PDB file of all heavy atoms in Angstrom:
ATOM      1  N   ASP A  50    -225.006 214.802  19.942  1.00  0.00           N
ATOM      2  CA  ASP A  50    -226.327 214.155  20.026  1.00  0.00           C
ATOM      3  C   ASP A  50    -226.590 213.412  18.786  1.00  0.00           C
ATOM      4  O   ASP A  50    -226.004 213.681  17.663  1.00  0.00           O
ATOM      5  CB  ASP A  50    -227.391 215.204  20.196  1.00  0.00           C
ATOM      6  CG  ASP A  50    -227.386 215.854  21.548  1.00  0.00           C
ATOM      7  OD1 ASP A  50    -227.345 215.087  22.572  1.00  0.00           O
ATOM      8  OD2 ASP A  50    -227.387 217.054  21.655  1.00  0.00           O
ATOM      9  N   LEU A 218    -209.150 193.299   7.327  1.00  0.00           N
ATOM     10  CA  LEU A 218    -210.450 192.646   7.394  1.00  0.00           C
ATOM     11  C   LEU A 218    -211.530 193.756   7.109  1.00  0.00           C
ATOM     12  O   LEU A 218    -212.060 194.365   8.086  1.00  0.00           O
ATOM     13  CB  LEU A 218    -210.747 192.010   8.731  1.00  0.00           C
ATOM     14  CG  LEU A 218    -211.973 191.221   8.922  1.00  0.00           C
ATOM     15  CD1 LEU A 218    -212.064 189.959   8.021  1.00  0.00           C
ATOM     16  CD2 LEU A 218    -212.233 190.781  10.390  1.00  0.00           C
ATOM     17  N   GLU A 252    -244.392 182.773  16.171  1.00  0.00           N
ATOM     18  CA  GLU A 252    -245.157 181.648  16.812  1.00  0.00           C
ATOM     19  C   GLU A 252    -246.544 181.610  16.074  1.00  0.00           C
ATOM     20  O   GLU A 252    -247.075 182.646  15.790  1.00  0.00           O
ATOM     21  CB  GLU A 252    -245.361 181.916  18.210  1.00  0.00           C
ATOM     22  CG  GLU A 252    -244.029 181.889  19.036  1.00  0.00           C
ATOM     23  CD  GLU A 252    -243.529 180.500  19.353  1.00  0.00           C
ATOM     24  OE1 GLU A 252    -244.406 179.587  19.476  1.00  0.00           O
ATOM     25  OE2 GLU A 252    -242.306 180.339  19.578  1.00  0.00           O
TER      26      GLU A 252
END
Side-chain angles (χ1 to χ4, degrees):
D50 290 310
L218 185 64
E252 298 277 336

